[in-house]
Amino acid sequence: MLRLRPAIFAAICLLLPCRAAFADTSAFATDGVPFLQKHCVSCHGKDKQKGDFALHEFRDDISVLRARKRWRDVVEMVRSGEMPPDDKPQPSAEEKRRFLASVAGVFAKADSGKPDPGRLTVRRLNRNEYNNTIRDLLHIEFRPADDFPSDDVGHGFDNIADVLTVSPVLMERYLDAADKIAAQAIPLSATTPPKRTMAAKFCEPASANVPQSKFRPFTASEKDAVKSGPINTPARIAADGEYIVRARLYAKSADGKPVRVALMLSGNALERPTPRQDIAKLDGVWLENLHGAQILTTAAIGAKSEQEAQLIETKVRHIAGVERIMLAAFKPQDGQPAPTIFVEFLEYEGPMDTRTAATKTLLTVTPGKSQAEQTREVLARFAVRAWRRPVTAEELDRLAKLVAYAMGHNDTWEEAMRRAVSAILASPKFVFRIEPDDQPQNPEPHPVDEFQLATRLSYFLWSSCPDDELLRLAAEKKLTANLDAQIKRMIADARADALTENFALQWLQLGRLATHSTDPKTFPNWKPELGRAMVEETRRFFGEIVRTDRSILDLLDGDFTWVNQRLAELYGIKSAGSFQKDEWKRVPLAGTQRGGLLTQASVLTVTSNPTRTSPVKRGKWILEQILGTPPPAPPPNVPSLDDSKRKELTGTFRQKLEQHRADPKCANCHAKMDAFGFALENFTGIGQWRDRDETGAAIDPSGKLGTGRIINGLADMKVLLRSRKQDFARCLTEKTLIYALGRGLDWYDEPTISRILFSLEKNDYRFTSLIGGIVKSPAFLMRRGAAQAEAQ
């Protein structure tokens, strides 16, 4: 059946008398039901249900609304004259008009009423959300949810509230994970700052001629950099840390006076370098090519022997761009010869604060406060972020009492704080996204509070908890007014990769590639590494669509992709040139057979069988994931094409498929999908281009749809899909809305979908228009009123 397009449906509504938009509830019962009884139920009734669709049960407005998606097809079939079929009595023009008016009136009345945000179900964090939340809460690379049981999938996604149940095993894992996370976040034993010491004889400049004595000499008057210095060694000094830099040395000068030396840092991108005129006062050939240096400290070295060697040291705080530590002598004055410096080692120690990022995040306190006040400060700050909302005084009191009780039973403060952190993470307030209604008696739909909105937004775009900016805006009640700016900021953030990882790969069903097997004889170049590269191509391609706000239609036929060496060889893209290890390149596809998701190896492989392609699987995938028109389930007791016992099927694979679809029980569904699959037959079961199939026969990529439309290969199919861009936009909108809301869609979501589709068309189908339309929809911003919830 054809899908009724929104534009056609809108035109029908406009052509109807104005009263149709406000038809009373009896309009369908008066004009619609008699039409069905007279012209439809003989083929779509209790005893016979062609197309697996019955119409005899539709007797009122609500029954039509609940099957709204199917009713778009019904209306289109009647409007176009495709139904009733030609061999049946035909309705008069007036009967048809009144029927279409009654159905349009049902939809128009529903759409003009109060928005229905839909059913709200408490949703627990799934495994990805749990891991990401811990990462962003505590800044630790720890994935405790990897040990949790797998999440169930509903409507194609693993974040659907209705299927995210909690088993006894999962409850045990939550408690265990909370303890382990708290232990990682608050270590009980102090860690000694790391110290990295480089003996001078191993420092640079280096050569085989460097003396191997304990103290390495260098004299600036020498013309060889190895002998003149300054000596130096690489250093890894983080910009946000505090370090101590040291050197131990003695010196000999011609006049016996102390020798001035400088302990320095260097780096091409060094922050706050010392002016060049001051660096020019130092001696040594190595300095001639030095770009960027900072003198940390200078010292007069009076020691003249190993026994007297001096230790010089200085602190380094918050300097970015450090690559090396160096020791240089100042140029001698009054024509004196250059002194000789004898260096035992260069050393740096740090960072001096050895607390983990998680510990710093958790246990940073305001100096001068009592320990009890510091406890409440830490717990309040952490609980707000973990529970994604303000903490009540009662909740904070209970947590503080837990700490006090533990300390009263011989726990240290750190041990007691561990217990409190574990309690916060094991709480349902963390594990579940709970949205209590602050207006439970309000009969009308009303907005969720700003903190609930921040949580919905962050888990939609980041699969993680709100960050400080979202929580700040929520506390100031400014988030709703700044949604556009926040969407833009959040999509630009690296955490938005979760939208690709957790939405796109599930929508495209690419998770199955992890367990996909291929016949090694048929596809000898298949390797697991190639499978991972296929997924990475799609990940990078979709991610670019999101980040650069391209049109969603580029998903159908974008003229670029990303490849590594394995994929470039598989695709035969010679223009990509040579690759470094693990390198990925963005390559243009104009003038090639590829472009868009449908020609990516990930999609082509996951819709194939282990030994060959599958036009049926590929066609079904296009109907389901691209056009949103899934075929009905196959009739029972009909053997598949791959049934080894089906000896009656002979010839090429295409001929076998034609024999299979000749069965009247199979013909209807195959007519809808096979032509799409045939258009991709030039791609092998792992996505490589070919001109002949497995039997050696020339590929015939043409096919005819049930509508009579002939698809002459890949290019023609892309033209067809582009012409059905509203169908693709609707499909992607529905999939994204399901993912964002964590529930399936129902008839009351149709106004939201229609508004998003209108916005997409108006804004050239930009990806942010899709995201913005969802985030600013009643379904995302609001909750049902008490009267609505009771009625539903």
Side-chain angles (χ1 to χ4, degrees), residues 31 39 124 174 215 253 321 420 435 461 528-529 639-640 686 735:
D31 300 325
H39 296 289
R124 72 164 170 83
Y174 280 142
F215 284 78
S253 62
E435 298 182 354
L461 298 181
E529 295 83 1
S640 70
I686 60 171
K735 300 284 187 183

Side-chain angles (χ1 to χ4, degrees), residues 217-233:
F218 70 91
T219 303
S221 60
E222 296 282 353
K223 302 304 180 184
D224 181 359
V226 173
K227 296 179 180 179
S228 75
I231 65 168
N232 60 88
T233 187

Side-chain angles (χ1 to χ4, degrees), residues 219-357:
T219 303
S221 60
E222 296 282 353
K223 302 304 180 184
D224 181 359
V226 173
K227 296 179 180 179
S228 75
I231 65 168
N232 60 88
T233 187
R236 294 182 179 180
I237 295 179
D240 60 349
E242 179 180 279
Y243 297 76
I244 297 176
V245 177
R246 301 185 183 95
R248 189 165 185 262
L249 66 158
Y250 67 93
K252 292 182 178 180
S253 62
D255 58 6
K257 293 181 179 179
V259 176
R260 284 186 70 212
V261 297
L263 195 57
M264 303 190 298
L265 302 175
S266 71
N268 290 331
L270 188 68
E271 190 177 31
R272 303 189 300 274
T274 299
R276 289 293 302 177
Q277 61 266 28
D278 292 334
I279 298 297
K281 298 175 182 178
L282 302 174
D283 218 347
V285 175
W286 182 275
L287 292 173
E288 295 176 3
N289 298 318
L290 187 64
H291 298 286
Q294 182 183 124
I295 297 176
L296 295 175
T297 188
T298 63
I301 306 300
K304 297 180 175 60
S305 67
E306 291 187 15
Q307 293 76 21
E308 300 173 331
Q310 291 177 229
L311 183 70
I312 59 174
E313 67 178 30
T314 187
K315 288 185 178 179
V316 175
R317 292 188 182 93
H318 311 303
I319 299 178
V322 177
E323 296 175 10
R324 292 177 175 273
I325 56 176
M326 308 181 70
L327 183 72
F330 280 86
K331 292 178 179 177
Q333 297 179 349
D334 304 326
Q336 291 290 325
T340 301
I341 313 297
F342 297 84
V343 185
E344 181 182 6
F345 61 77
L346 296 179
E347 178 180 272
Y348 65 100
E349 181 180 2
M352 303 310 292
D353 186 350
T354 59
R355 295 180 302 167
T356 65

Side-chain angles (χ1 to χ4, degrees), residues 137 359-366 374 376-386 391 396:
L137 268 180
T359 307
K360 293 176 186 177
T361 300
L362 273 173
L363 301 187
T364 298
V365 295
T366 302
Q374 291 177 339
R376 295 179 71 87
E377 177 186 7
V378 169
L379 294 176
R381 182 176 59 237
F382 182 65
V384 165
R385 291 213 60 201
V391 180
L396 186 56

